[in-house]
Structures are given as structure tokens and as C-alpha cells.
Amino acid sequence: MLDEQEKTGLIGDSRGMASILITMVTMIVVTLIVLGFATISRREQGNTLDKQLSTQAFYAAESAVNDARKVIDAAVAASQPIPGKTSCNTNSDGAGYTPNFPIPAPGTSGVVLDSTNNVSYTCLLVDPTPSALTQDGVGDNAWVVPVNSTSPFDTIKIQWAPSPAVTSGNPVSDCTDTLDTFDAASGSSNDYSCGYGVLRMDLVPTSGPLTGGQTGSLMTSQMTAFFQPLSVAGTGTLAYAPANIGKANVRDAVCSLGSYNICTATITGLSGTSYTLKINSLYKNSNVTVTALSGGSPIATNGQVLVDATGNANGVLRRIQVRLPTSSISGVIPRYAIQSNDSICKRFYVTPSYYANAGDVINPQSNPASKNYNAMCDNALPAVGAP
């Protein structure tokens, strides 16, 4: 049997041990919390730094694209072939171009843009004749596509997919199964609900000079087509032939039926080296790719220049690819260029050395009685009393 003094000593000893254990557990918990917050803080700081460096590397890659654009524009302005660049450390694939593509200075790993923050672009590649021409987000505004090659081609393939991309659902579940019906615009009782857009294409041959005396043949050589996705398998082929030229043709497109992928339309019967397309995607925006083929094989075209650039910011790399048009007539154009509540002067002009009507403005001084006079078309103010 323990006396009261011994019992009191044991109780005091156990209370002291419990206090020590509680203190140690509390210190461990607080230490773990502090370490956790420190880890999260370091991680967030690292993520912030990575994002900053990634942004700097992206801007460095864009600087490389801008440097390439200067060389491309200079070559076009001088009527020189656009130089290619297939190596990171060479100016171009040929000699005699001025200006030339920048290359890393001796002893450096890239074209330095900011030596203080170690920002540069490490590689710049240029392909002046890619085998495919692409444009994202084609919709009501037309994409003008010059398809030019040094050798004749017999086929143009057009492919399109929804923009932005769709990955789930059946794209043709609500498509019509016949070509004789175009649904109304969105918002009506029978609005368009097919997963793919209807592709409109206008094609005209542009080989050789197109002068004023050839405008009649230019207009009669144009072919228009509407390629409509169906809920059934399609053929998607249209021949450039007298029976189809000069009118609007409606054809079915070859589209992926079970899942979202692409629709394809094929223009056959071509024989020249230069054609110009105007492409719209009706109802829905589309990412469009155009490829010229000869004997079933893709050939190089010079409607776009593919620029591949890699930026570096203190060891963080960003790589981008950009397609630059080689002509002012290529690219996306709006449905109309100007809108006014008053009269405007309309001058007809296609492109240099192709077609322009020099006599489309009536000078009030030479013909003051003309009712067609438009002051907007005169370089000077009209004479007092001019009609």
C-alpha cells in the first residue's frame, strides 16, 4: 500500500510528463505548419517567376518573328524571292539577300535582346513555301488565299474544323441529309444546328497578267461552290470544268461523322500555277487548311511564309509558329471596308499590274453638266454651281 505522500509524488510526476509531451506535440505541429506555409510560398514564388520568364521568352520569340517579317517585306518590296532559313545559325539558305536574317553573334547561343536579364531568341527558321496554307477563325469575313506554285498543280484540297475546337458529341447528329435545304440563321424556328459550318469558296485562276481587256474572261472563269456537311457520308469533289464555272454549285462535304475532326472538299481539273480563293465559313467559324496537290502529292506554295521561332529567358524556352502572308491581297478581309451616311467615291482597283479603271472619275471641269459627278472623288473642291 502507498501512503499519501507517495501517491502525491506519482501524480505530480505524471502531470509534469504530460505537460512536456503536450509542449513537444504543439511545437511539432507549429513547425509543420510553418514548413508547409514556407513550401507553398516558395512554390508560388517559383510559379510567378516561371510565368514571368515564360512571358519574356514568348516576347523574345515574337521579336524573332518581327525580325523575319522585316526581311520578308524587304524581299517582296525588291521583287526578290523570299529567302528560306533552315538552320538556327545561318543567315538564309542562299546568298545575296539584303537585309538578312539575324544570327547569334560568335560565342553566344542566341540573338541577344536583353543581356542584363539574359533574354534572347535561340533559333529562327523560315519556310517560304509551306505545303499547306492555314487560317484560324474563318467566318463571315472572307479569307483570301493566293495559291501559287512554280509548277502546275491539278487539285486543291480544302479542310475545315470547328473554331474553337469541339471534342465531345456527334457533329452531324443535327445535320440535314439532303443538299436542297439551307437552314435559316441562328435564332429562327429552324436554325442551323449542324456541328460543322458550310464552306463557301470562290475560285478564279490568276496565272499571267490580268489586264483590262481580259476582265470578261476573268469574270467568266470564276467558280463558286457551297460545301455542305450532311448527316450521311459525302463525296466532297467538284471539278473545275465548263459545266460548273460561272455559277454557284452546291456539293456535299466529306466530314467525320462519329466525332469532331474535319470536313474535306476537293477541287479537281486544275492545270495552272496560280489560283486565288475566297473562303467563308457560314453559320459557324472554322479553322481552314488549303493544300495544292499534283498527282496526289502536296506541293510547295508561296501564299504564306511559315516562321518558327524559339525565345529564351534565363533558361525558360517558348516556341511559336506564325504564318505571314506574302502579299497584301492575302488574309482575312471584312464583308465591307467602309460605311457612311453620305455619298462616297468608289474606285475599282484589284492589285498592281492586274486591273484598274483609269477613267472611273468624271472631272467636273471637263464635264460640268454631268449628273454623275461626286465631290468625294475630286482632289479639289467642286466649282461653285457644279451639279
Side-chain angles (χ1 to χ4, degrees):
M1 297 293 294
L2 297 174
D3 58 19
E4 291 298 327
Q5 184 175 2
E6 290 175 337
K7 291 180 179 180
T8 303
L10 290 175
I11 294 174
D13 291 340
S14 62
R15 288 177 179 175
M17 182 62 68
S19 299
I20 294 174
L21 290 175
I22 293 173
T23 302
M24 292 179 63
V25 170
T26 303
M27 291 179 62
I28 292 172
V29 171
V30 171
T31 301
L32 292 176
I33 293 174
V34 172
L35 290 175
F37 276 115
T39 301
I40 294 174
S41 178
R42 286 195 301 270
R43 184 179 300 166
E44 291 298 322
Q45 184 180 9
N47 290 339
T48 301
L49 180 60
D50 287 343
K51 290 180 180 179
Q52 179 181 352
L53 293 176
S54 178
T55 301
Q56 290 178 337
F58 175 76
Y59 288 148
E62 284 197 327
S63 297
V65 173
N66 290 331
D67 287 344
R69 184 191 295 271
K70 293 177 183 178
V71 177
I72 294 168
D73 291 345
V76 172
S79 299
Q80 289 184 332
I82 296 174
K85 189 174 186 296
T86 55
S87 172
C88 300
N89 299 315
T90 57
N91 295 107
S92 65
D93 297 337
Y97 294 101
T98 304
N100 219 319
F101 298 111
I103 59 173
T108 64
S109 59
V111 177
V112 178
L113 303 174
D114 183 354
S115 58
T116 302
N117 296 302
N118 194 21
V119 178
S120 63
Y121 59 85
T122 57
C123 190
L124 173 62
L125 304 176
V126 179
D127 182 2
T129 55
S131 59
L133 311 174
T134 66
Q135 181 67 45
D136 293 343
V138 177
D140 289 339
N141 293 334
W143 177 35
V144 177
V145 195
V147 185
N148 306 317
S149 179
T150 56
S151 58
F153 48 89
D154 51 42
T155 303
I156 290 178
K157 180 189 294 184
I158 306 173
Q159 296 177 308
W160 67 100
S163 176
V166 181
T167 58
S168 62
N170 187 343
V172 297
S173 59
D174 295 321
C175 298
T176 180
D177 58 357
T178 59
L179 287 174
D180 57 0
T181 302
F182 272 97
D183 290 335
S186 177
S188 64
S189 59
N190 60 334
D191 61 345
Y192 187 84
S193 54
C194 180
Y196 298 109
V198 175
L199 192 86
R200 172 180 175 169
M201 178 219 66
D202 297 278
L203 178 146
V204 63
T206 49
S207 299
L210 301 177
T211 61
Q214 293 176 308
T215 54
S217 62
L218 176 64
M219 290 184 290
T220 56
S221 62
Q222 175 179 321
M223 184 176 72
T224 299
F226 293 86
F227 291 100
Q228 184 178 4
L230 301 180
S231 59
V232 295
T235 57
T237 301
L238 177 64
Y240 184 76
N244 301 321
I245 296 173
K247 68 176 186 179
N249 303 274
V250 180
R251 292 290 189 275
D252 52 347
V254 179
C255 298
S256 300
L257 301 181
S259 60
Y260 281 94
N261 195 353
I262 57 173
C263 291
T264 302
T266 304
I267 311 300
T268 62
L270 306 175
S271 59
T273 59
S274 177
Y275 292 85
T276 297
L277 308 180
K278 188 182 77 170
I279 294 176
N280 298 81
S281 180
L282 308 180
Y283 302 115
K284 298 179 181 293
N285 290 352
S286 300
N287 298 331
V288 183
T289 300
V290 175
T291 307
L293 302 99
S294 178
S297 300
I299 64 173
T301 54
N302 57 12
Q304 291 179 337
V305 178
L306 177 61
V307 179
D308 188 323
T310 302
N312 176 28
N314 204 23
V316 176
L317 302 178
R318 286 287 297 273
R319 181 181 178 184
I320 62 175
Q321 287 188 339
V322 178
R323 290 177 179 266
L324 303 177
T326 59
S327 170
S328 60
I329 65 172
S330 61
V332 176
I333 61 173
R335 286 174 290 176
Y336 52 83
I338 189 171
Q339 180 176 348
S340 173
N341 292 327
D342 202 350
S343 59
I344 61 175
C345 173
K346 295 190 293 183
R347 303 295 303 273
F348 187 75
Y349 181 79
V350 178
T351 190
S353 75
Y354 272 46
Y355 178 80
N357 186 358
D360 61 352
V361 176
I362 299 177
N363 190 328
Q365 304 300 329
S366 60
N367 191 0
S370 172
K371 296 181 180 181
N372 295 326
Y373 169 67
N374 185 347
M376 298 293 292
C377 294
D378 195 8
N379 292 331
L381 292 175
V384 176

